Amino acid sequence: MKILCFAVATLLAVNCGSTQVSESTKMESPALPASEESFTNAQRIGEMMNYLASNDLKGREAGSEGIEMAARYIENYLKSYRVQPYFETYRDTLSNFKNIAYNLVGVVEGNDPILKDEFILIGAHYDHIGTINPENGDYIANGANDNASGTISVLEMARYFGAHNTNKRSLIFALFSAEEKGLLGSKYLAKKLKEQELNLYTMLNFEMTGVPMKDKDYLVYITGYEMSNLAEVSNKYAEENLVGFLPTAKEFNLYQRSDNYPFHEEFGVPSHTFCTFDFTNYAFYHKVGDEADLMDYGHMATLVNKTIPVIEDIANAANQEIKLNN
Ligand SMILES: [Zn+2]
């Protein structure tokens, strides 16, 4: 997400001393009720995070060898969980970037003869900024929160629907490249799918979901909260206040700063980003310190486990109930 760095610095300085996720917090993440265990858990999330945000991938800059390693990992992942390539292959080569870069796009076709022709696109960017000015000899911006967290959340959702195919409407899972270069991957894919007249119902993007917010009566916020009734519909299906409104997100116009926005522009359908970065809970945005071991795997697992049933109900509702507000 392209956020004005001074905005982050200002709010962080004001709002919190230490943003370290204490060991105790991670260890104490609430045990998931047995029924949800089948979706994902902290251990799985940790394993995926320790690969995607490892030094080996050198911060996954678009066009780099490091992101190529991430692309292969994601491809194998989608393949192993019966998520089909949306195009000929999973790789959707960008034409709007100077170096070779790929979105990775898979699909789980709906199981309803009519509703399968309606599509929900679930996305996250898997690139980051690569290597930057060294701090204490560390020059790799590992991009754990930005955005290995969102990437892993989307992959775990893809795994669930690939394995269970409980969705009546079709689900596209898209991992975007070159977001850090100006939303280039999502701009390219949105334009291409529009030209192909995709019947897109809604776009759900996941960005920086690695650490929990404090003192909020909701678990995740969406950007562009007032643009549609997505939060209301999500909370109805979650049977709790899962999705909320973050005033700062509106203040900094985050709605236009992540991969949901090109889909808003091309399709004019409800397109929002789910996020748990609130400018106060994480000090390592676009820094070398954005490391895997600062992520709260229990929190990430809880978010995925609570979001999957919501997406399932949205995908299976008789009508398209998520609508843009006038
Ligand atoms: Zn990002």
Side-chain angles (χ1 to χ4, degrees):
M1 190 182 296
K2 277 260 167 261
I3 305 175
L4 312 166
C5 294
F6 79 80
V8 176
T10 323
L11 282 156
L12 275 167
V14 170
N15 288 296
C16 65
S18 156
T19 58
Q20 293 290 341
V21 177
S22 65
E23 279 302 313
S24 62
T25 315
K26 219 176 334 185
M27 291 305 133
E28 284 151 11
S29 294
L32 296 166
S35 64
E36 291 180 9
E37 212 43 64
S38 65
F39 297 164
T40 189
N41 55 54
Q43 192 201 339
R44 278 191 67 87
I45 300 260
E47 285 158 14
M48 298 169 79
M49 182 62 76
N50 281 303
Y51 180 75
L52 286 171
S54 64
N55 284 345
D56 296 346
L57 275 64
K58 292 216 169 28
R60 307 185 310 276
E61 185 175 12
S64 70
E65 180 42 41
I67 198 171
E68 175 56 29
M69 294 166 70
R72 282 200 292 269
Y73 175 88
I74 291 167
E75 263 182 319
N76 291 333
Y77 196 94
L78 295 174
K79 208 178 291 174
S80 58
Y81 289 109
R82 295 201 299 272
V83 178
Q84 304 305 316
Y86 181 78
F87 300 113
E88 285 292 304
T89 72
Y90 294 106
R91 294 195 179 215
D92 168 44
T93 309
L94 277 60
S95 65
N96 57 355
F97 184 53
K98 59 183 171 28
N99 299 330
I100 295 180
Y102 310 99
N103 296 321
L104 298 159
V105 191
V107 63
V108 176
E109 189 178 57
N111 61 33
D112 181 277
I114 308 294
L115 292 177
K116 72 177 174 63
D117 296 331
E118 297 178 17
F119 289 80
I120 296 171
L121 193 141
I122 299 163
H125 76 92
Y126 74 104
D127 69 305
H128 194 49
I129 57 177
T131 56
I132 56 177
N133 294 337
E135 279 174 46
N136 309 320
D138 180 359
Y139 57 93
I140 298 173
N142 298 71
N145 202 19
D146 188 9
N147 188 33
S149 65
T151 299
I152 291 164
S153 301
V154 168
L155 288 177
E156 284 295 81
M157 294 173 195
R159 176 173 70 92
Y160 173 81
F161 288 105
H164 300 282
N165 197 193
T166 51
N167 50 300
K168 290 182 177 175
R169 290 180 173 83
S170 295
L171 304 176
I172 295 175
F173 296 95
L175 290 308
F176 307 111
S177 187
E179 185 269 358
E180 304 286 1
K181 307 292 182 187
L183 309 181
L184 297 182
S186 54
K187 279 179 180 167
Y188 175 76
L189 184 63
K191 192 164 182 299
K192 183 176 180 176
L193 293 175
K194 181 66 181 174
E195 282 161 4
Q196 295 180 353
E197 297 175 356
L198 176 77
N199 179 12
L200 185 65
Y201 166 22
T202 186
M203 195 276 182
L204 311 174
N205 192 51
F206 290 80
E207 170 85 69
M208 294 205 282
T209 57
V211 295
M213 293 177 286
K214 298 187 189 79
D215 313 324
K216 301 272 188 310
D217 64 355
Y218 54 87
L219 183 65
V220 60
Y221 68 87
I222 54 170
T223 63
Y225 182 95
E226 71 292 346
M227 303 283 292
S228 84
N229 61 345
L230 173 62
E232 192 191 317
V233 170
S234 300
N235 292 338
K236 176 184 74 173
Y237 286 134
E239 294 169 357
E240 63 173 291
N241 198 27
L242 178 71
V243 180
F245 169 66
L246 185 80
T248 332
K250 184 172 184 184
E251 202 184 311
F252 289 117
N253 197 12
L254 295 190
Y255 185 69
Q256 297 189 6
R257 298 183 186 281
S258 194
D259 297 301
N260 60 292
Y261 196 62
F263 291 88
H264 163 83
E265 290 190 305
E266 290 287 348
F267 288 91
V269 300
S271 307
H272 301 264
T273 289
F274 291 74
C275 185
T276 65
F277 170 69
D278 67 4
F279 298 89
T280 73
N281 60 348
Y282 199 65
F284 303 100
Y285 171 74
H286 280 204
K287 294 215 166 73
V288 296
D290 185 5
E291 304 268 5
D293 60 6
L294 291 182
M295 299 296 101
D296 185 331
Y297 306 144
H299 155 73
M300 290 177 65
T302 300
L303 179 59
V304 169
N305 286 322
K306 287 180 183 290
T307 304
I308 285 174
V310 168
I311 291 174
E312 204 164 43
D313 291 338
I314 289 171
N316 294 346
N319 307 306
Q320 293 194 354
E321 53 198 338
I322 302 169
K323 298 192 184 317
L324 287 174
N325 293 334
N326 300 325

